[in-house]
């Protein structure tokens, strides 16, 4: 009977198709994912695969080149410079940006206007790389009247070191002065009670110092040597006298004058606003010299975009943009730190520096790692700032891999080498991305 019952039993129902955790059938889920997968394949997978294949072919794309394009990565001077600069970028840019973000986040935590400060620091993130590049191209302009960086630098320099106001000044015709060691010296010696005139030319009226006054003819003093140095600008016949201060001519304020006797400086004076000066009896029998310091070119600041400073300057622009990004992420992590731990450390006698170094920073380590790694990925493919800020004369010195990829692929028509650079960049980015993803998964599990 058991056998009959078994034989006559209805067949077991066919298993239903499995559903996903959300209750959606796999076929339906696949249909919804299909457009995204197609786009992913067309925009990511295919370009990567094509670049890998193309990197093994020659310039024409018809001949197989093997690993020749990859050998070029380590033999071409331009690519080697780009690789060196990328290493500098990866080491310094993320480190400094993360450190500044940490400092800003910690310092603004207890300040009443901290939110406003964070907004200002984060604001550069709203600016495109193109706009930021143009801004900093102007900031780093060599002319202090245009470039903010050199305006500040020259201002600081001139605070501690005097700058000449008369770099173009020189003796005119029939002058009592002759050239001497970059400056000028009188042909004859001077005597006590005599007057001396030291006329110069070469300074445009609009370039004269603002404190210059009308030149005054020297007045004889029996116990001293008096004189005047001024801009002897005689326009022509009948207009002013050569070698004599006229009412329309200005003195050289602050002009340094030395009394030189037997090759030694025995006395030094400076001309007043009207160009007049006076020596004591010690200058009797000496020659009067206008030293070279009166005529040196004014300090014009640093060549920020020159070969030696262009890479640090561009890194500075990058930090200006991304320090706000680091600050916002770190501030979010800082808000999640239990205040009990900080207060317990203070109760145990730790000062603020010890709390920061031994409690705050270790607790923020996961956030700091994510920020630093994200910025590393970002700087590995930096292109915009370098391309825009670096002038043509120093672009080779500021070169990075992404810029060299562009130049090889478009300017120099070497698509095989450009593809090899792109694959090399991908290989550099993958370990950093893997580290970041692994850390994020670890944080999710917690």
């Amino acid at each position: 009977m058991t056998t009959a019952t078994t034989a006559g039993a209805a067949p077991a129902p066919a298993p239903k198709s499995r559903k996903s955790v959300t209750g959606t059938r796999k076929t339906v889920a696949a249909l919804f994912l299909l457009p995204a997968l197609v786009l992913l394949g067309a925009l990511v997978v295919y370009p990567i695969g094509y670049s890998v294949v193309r990197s093994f072919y020659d310039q024409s794309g018809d001949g197989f080149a093997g690993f020749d394009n990859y050998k070029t990565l380590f033999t071409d001077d331009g690519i080697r410079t780009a690789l060196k600069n990328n290493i500098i970028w990866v080491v310094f840019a993320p480190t400094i940006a993360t450190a500044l973000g940490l400092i800003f986040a910690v310092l603004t935590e207890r300040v009443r206007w901290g939110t406003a400060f964070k907004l200002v620091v984060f604001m550069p993130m709203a600016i495109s790389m193109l706009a930021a590049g143009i801004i900093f191209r102007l900031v780093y302009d060599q002319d202090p009247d245009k470039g903010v960086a050199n305006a500040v630098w020259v201002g600081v320099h001139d605070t501690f070191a005097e700058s000449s106001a008369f770099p173009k000044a020189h003796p005119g015709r029939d002058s009592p002065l002759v050239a001497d060691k970059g400056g000028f010296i009188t042909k004859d010696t001077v005597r006590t009670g005599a007057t001396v005139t030291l006329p110069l030319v070469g300074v445009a009226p609009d370039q004269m110092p603002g404190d210059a006054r009308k030149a005054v003819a020297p007045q004889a003093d029996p116990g001293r040597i008096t004189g005047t140095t001024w801009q002897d600008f005689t326009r022509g016949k009948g207009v002013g006298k050569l070698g004599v201060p006229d009412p329309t001519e200005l003195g050289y304020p602050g002009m340094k004058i030395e009394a030189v006797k037997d090759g030694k400086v025995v006395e030094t004076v400076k001309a007043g606003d009207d160009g007049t000066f006076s020596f004591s009896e010690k200058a009797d029998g000496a020659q009067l010299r206008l030293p070279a310091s009166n005529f040196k070119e004014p300090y014009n600041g640093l060549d920020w975009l020159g070969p030696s400073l262009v890479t640090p300057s561009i890194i500075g622009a990058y930090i200006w943009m991304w320090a706000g990004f680091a600050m916002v992420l770190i501030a979010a992590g800082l808000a999640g730190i239990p205040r009990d731990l900080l207060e317990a450390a203070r109760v145990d006698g730790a000062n603020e520096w010890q709390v920061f170094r031994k409690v705050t920073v270790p607790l923020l380590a996961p956030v700091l790692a994510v920020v630093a790694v994200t910025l590393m990925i970002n700087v590995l493919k930096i292109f915009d700032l370098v391309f825009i800020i670096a002038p043509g004369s120093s672009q080779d010195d500021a070169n990075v891999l992404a810029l060299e990829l562009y130049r090889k692929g478009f300017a120099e028509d070497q698509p095989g080498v450009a593809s090899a650079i792109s694959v090399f960049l991908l290989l550099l980015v993958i370990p950093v991305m893997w580290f970041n993803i692994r850390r994020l998964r670890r944080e999710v599990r917690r």
Side-chain angles (χ1 to χ4, degrees):
M1 187 171 181
T2 304
T3 306
T5 303
T6 304
K16 296 180 180 180
S17 59
R18 293 184 180 179
K19 294 183 178 181
S20 66
V21 176
T22 59
T24 307
R25 294 181 181 277
K26 287 188 175 181
T27 53
V28 176
L31 288 175
F32 276 102
L33 288 174
L34 185 60
L37 293 174
V38 170
L39 285 175
L40 186 67
L43 300 180
V44 178
V45 178
Y46 173 75
I48 291 175
Y50 180 80
S51 297
V52 172
V53 173
R54 186 65 182 83
S55 66
F56 291 103
Y57 283 83
D58 59 14
Q59 182 173 339
S60 65
D62 298 327
F64 185 75
F67 288 94
D68 290 347
N69 292 326
Y70 289 94
K71 291 179 183 177
T72 305
L73 298 181
F74 303 99
T75 56
D76 184 270
D77 290 337
I79 300 176
R80 288 165 65 182
T81 300
L83 183 58
K84 180 195 72 174
N85 287 335
N86 263 103
I87 294 172
I88 295 173
W89 272 90
V90 169
V91 171
F92 290 101
T95 304
I96 297 174
T98 304
L100 284 177
L102 175 62
I103 293 170
F104 291 154
V106 172
L107 293 182
T108 57
E109 189 183 23
R110 299 182 182 179
V111 180
R112 182 177 300 175
W113 43 266
T115 302
F117 179 80
K118 289 177 183 177
L119 179 63
V120 172
V121 175
F122 186 73
M123 198 174 294
M125 282 294 297
I127 302 174
S128 68
M129 285 282 194
L130 173 63
I134 294 172
I135 290 170
F136 275 88
R137 182 69 179 267
L138 296 174
V139 167
Y140 292 132
D141 195 289
Q142 180 69 39
D143 186 354
D145 294 331
K146 297 178 182 178
V148 176
N150 265 342
V152 174
W153 192 264
V154 170
V156 173
H157 173 274
D158 291 349
T159 301
F160 300 98
E162 291 187 24
S163 181
S164 170
F166 320 107
K168 304 296 183 183
H170 60 275
R173 51 196 172 96
D174 301 328
S175 174
L177 296 166
V178 293
D180 178 72
K181 299 178 180 178
F184 307 100
I185 194 169
T186 56
K187 300 174 185 176
D188 304 317
T189 57
V190 295
R191 294 295 175 185
T192 304
T195 60
V196 185
T197 54
L198 304 177
L200 295 169
V201 296
V203 181
D206 60 339
Q207 298 297 319
M208 289 293 289
D211 55 350
R213 300 290 180 263
K214 291 182 179 180
V216 177
Q219 301 295 320
D221 186 336
R224 302 186 67 83
I225 300 168
T226 57
T228 301
T229 178
W230 79 101
Q231 174 76 357
D232 190 19
F233 185 64
T234 304
R235 291 188 176 87
K237 188 176 181 180
V239 184
K241 294 182 180 180
L242 187 66
V244 178
D246 296 320
T248 58
E249 296 171 347
L250 299 175
Y252 282 134
M255 179 73 77
K256 185 179 179 182
I257 305 133
E258 299 173 339
V260 182
K261 205 185 278 189
D262 299 326
K264 297 181 179 180
V265 177
V266 295
E267 192 174 358
T268 302
V269 299
K270 284 188 177 182
D273 293 347
D274 56 4
T276 58
F277 58 88
S278 175
F279 283 95
S280 67
E281 294 178 349
K282 291 190 295 184
D284 185 59
Q287 292 175 283
L288 301 188
R289 180 171 67 190
L290 304 177
S293 59
N294 290 313
F295 312 104
K296 66 181 180 180
E297 290 290 334
Y299 184 68
N300 205 37
L302 297 175
D303 188 7
W304 296 101
L305 299 182
S308 58
L309 290 178
V310 63
T311 295
S313 298
I314 300 173
I315 291 176
Y318 178 87
I319 292 170
W320 176 77
M321 290 191 67
W322 287 87
F325 166 81
M327 178 195 66
V328 169
L329 292 188
I330 294 170
L334 194 62
I337 293 179
R339 300 302 166 188
D340 297 343
L341 296 176
L342 303 180
E343 293 302 326
R346 294 187 182 101
V347 170
D348 288 341
N351 57 37
E352 291 300 321
W353 169 245
Q354 290 172 327
V355 171
F356 171 75
R357 187 165 57 91
K358 298 195 174 180
V359 180
T360 304
V361 172
L363 291 175
L364 284 176
V367 178
L368 295 176
V370 170
V371 172
V373 171
T374 302
L375 293 179
M376 283 181 186
I377 295 172
N378 190 269
V379 299
L380 278 172
K381 52 191 180 64
I382 191 72
F383 167 79
D384 319 56
L385 285 179
V386 180
F387 183 72
I388 297 165
I389 295 178
S393 58
S394 58
Q395 199 171 84
D396 288 342
D397 301 282
N399 201 9
V400 289
L401 288 174
L403 177 58
E404 186 64 16
L405 187 156
Y406 168 81
R407 293 168 70 174
K408 293 294 185 187
F410 296 97
E412 301 178 21
D413 192 24
Q414 298 184 42
V417 177
S419 299
I421 295 174
S422 67
V423 174
F424 183 63
L425 267 176
L426 178 64
L427 294 176
L428 291 177
V429 170
I430 285 176
V432 184
M433 289 179 62
W434 175 80
F435 175 81
N436 210 14
I437 293 170
R438 185 180 177 186
R439 179 168 286 278
L440 286 173
R441 284 180 175 175
R442 191 181 303 164
E443 290 299 316
V444 170
R445 288 172 189 166
R446 289 181 182 178

